[in-house]
Amino acid sequence: MIAKRWADLSPAQQRLIVVGATVESVLKAVALADLARRPAAQVRGPKPVWALILTLANSLGAAPLIYWFYGRRKTT
């Protein structure tokens, strides 16, 4: 299988890639901002590990969603 270059992709494929990258970037930025503001007691697991996962994992949005649904403790 030969990898395509950007110029070889159709305009629709290029738009899909740009939109997907933008959505993932926004999700990561919001999750990292929340992680920075949230006290450590309200995070499941070490905050530095979550920051590393959120920053380095190329996850198609899965890492931020896992943080939002699993990594944060419910506040009472």
Side-chain angles (χ1 to χ4, degrees):
M1 181 185 237
I2 298 173
K4 289 186 177 183
R5 294 185 312 205
W6 183 257
D8 296 335
L9 300 174
S10 71
Q13 290 171 322
Q14 291 176 350
R15 274 192 300 278
L16 183 63
I17 291 170
V18 169
V19 168
T22 302
V23 168
E24 181 170 7
S25 297
V26 169
L27 286 172
K28 283 184 178 191
V30 171
L32 285 168
D34 180 78
L35 181 64
R37 283 190 297 254
R38 189 169 293 274
Q42 293 181 0
V43 177
R44 289 188 175 113
K47 286 176 72 169
V49 172
W50 277 111
L52 190 66
I53 291 169
L54 290 169
T55 306
L56 298 179
N58 187 6
S59 61
L60 299 175
L65 292 176
I66 290 169
Y67 168 74
W68 282 105
F69 293 113
Y70 172 74
R72 302 181 328 150
R73 294 186 190 275
K74 303 289 185 220
T75 58
T76 57

